[in-house]
Amino acid sequence: EAQVTQNPRYLITVTGKKLTVTCSQNMNHEYMSWYRQDPGLGLRQIYYSMNVEVTDKGDVPEGYKVSRKEKRNFPLILESPSPNQTSLYFCASSWVGAGNSPLHFGNGTRLTVT
Amino acid sequence: QKEVEQNSGPLSVPEGAIASLNCTYSDRGSQSFFWYRQYSGKSPELIMFIYSNGDKEDGRFTAQLNKASQYVSLLIRDSQPSDSATYLCAVMPKSNDYKLSFGAGTTVTVRA
């Protein structure tokens, strides 16, 4: 089944404790992206990747890191999480850029930072 | 000014009626426009895209684009309770094929 898999689905952590949210797609998509969704603000792009080893900042990259060492994986790293990073996170992928082909979203990761 | 703006709603319509959702965008050079549907607790899924001025129909859904006025709309005809969801407008700016800006979404409730 074609899908984007994120893990974990739920995560509660404390301020400053490094964490990684994994994202994997099995559709051989070149483009992958991370979004956060907050009430009243909608989906905001954190980082995106056009292909292996090619990444760029989105609208809200502060406090996040990403890497794209393999085509299928695009982990999101929070080196020192803070409470303002409490949010619902979505990973998404598409064949080419997000503006040219449909985005396929993962099921989301709800992160709470206390 | 936000890049993409939508009425947050909620928009409540009776079953069988037409639901009309509006979206405006700030980048006049924007090229591609999308509507995603998000059920409560679920991830967004693409339902429509439109690139050219005018109307595009797909089943009960019609997307309308007016680049001169910088707005895109979505009409849902013969609304069904299963259409109850949040609808997200997304716009690709002229300058970047890899960036998609989303509106905050309009929540639609279809009353049976």
Side-chain angles (χ1 to χ4, degrees), chain B residues 27-45:
Chain B
D27 184 347
R28 180 170 289 278
S30 296
Q31 301 292 318
S32 307
F33 308 86
F34 305 84
W35 285 99
Y36 283 81
R37 178 177 62 198
Q38 186 176 22
Y39 290 115
S40 180
K42 301 294 186 182
S43 55
E45 57 178 342

Side-chain angles (χ1 to χ4, degrees), chain A residues 69-80:
Chain A
K69 298 190 187 317
E70 305 168 283
K71 197 171 189 177
R72 63 183 291 122
N73 296 322
F74 190 46
L76 180 69
I77 303 160
L78 284 72
E79 294 270 4
S80 182

Side-chain angles (χ1 to χ4, degrees), chain A residues 87-103:
Chain A
S87 186
L88 178 60
Y89 291 85
F90 286 104
C91 179
S93 72
S94 67
W95 282 111
V96 289
N100 296 307
S101 58
L103 280 173

Side-chain angles (χ1 to χ4, degrees), chain B residues 59-75:
Chain B
R60 295 185 296 108
F61 297 97
T62 299
Q64 299 174 317
L65 175 61
N66 184 323
K67 289 186 178 180
S69 300
Q70 294 176 241
Y71 84 78
V72 56
S73 62
L74 179 70
L75 300 177

Side-chain angles (χ1 to χ4, degrees), chain A residues 7-8 11-22 63-67 69 75-83 85 111-114:
Chain A
N7 280 298
L11 180 58
I12 301 174
T13 189
V14 296
T15 299
K17 186 176 181 181
K18 181 179 178 180
L19 66 90
T20 299
V21 183
T22 63
Y64 305 94
K65 285 177 58 177
V66 293
S67 66
K69 298 190 187 317
L76 180 69
I77 303 160
L78 284 72
E79 294 270 4
S80 182
S82 62
Q85 293 178 299
L111 171 65
T112 302
V113 183
T114 60

Side-chain angles (χ1 to χ4, degrees), chain A:
Chain A
E1 179 188 354
Q3 59 186 1
V4 178
T5 303
Q6 289 178 235
N7 280 298
R9 290 293 308 277
Y10 301 93
L11 180 58
I12 301 174
T13 189
V14 296
T15 299
K17 186 176 181 181
K18 181 179 178 180
L19 66 90
T20 299
V21 183
T22 63
C23 175
S24 180
Q25 51 92 6
N26 62 0
M27 295 168 279
N28 202 35
H29 285 170
E30 291 188 349
Y31 177 90
M32 298 186 75
S33 183
W34 277 102
Y35 292 87
R36 61 177 288 175
Q37 187 172 36
D38 302 288
L41 297 177
L43 283 163
R44 293 181 293 168
Q45 191 173 41
I46 304 171
Y47 269 96
Y48 61 93
S49 169
M50 296 78 87
N51 213 323
V52 176
E53 302 289 3
V54 184
T55 63
D56 205 351
K57 296 177 180 178
D59 295 320
V60 288
E62 295 78 18
Y64 305 94
K65 285 177 58 177
V66 293
S67 66
R68 188 94 179 272
K69 298 190 187 317
E70 305 168 283
K71 197 171 189 177
R72 63 183 291 122
N73 296 322
F74 190 46
L76 180 69
I77 303 160
L78 284 72
E79 294 270 4
S80 182
S82 62
N84 64 13
Q85 293 178 299
T86 292
S87 186
L88 178 60
Y89 291 85
F90 286 104
C91 179
S93 72
S94 67
W95 282 111
V96 289
N100 296 307
S101 58
L103 280 173
H104 297 260
F105 285 85
N107 287 330
T109 295
R110 186 167 293 282
L111 171 65
T112 302
V113 183
T114 60

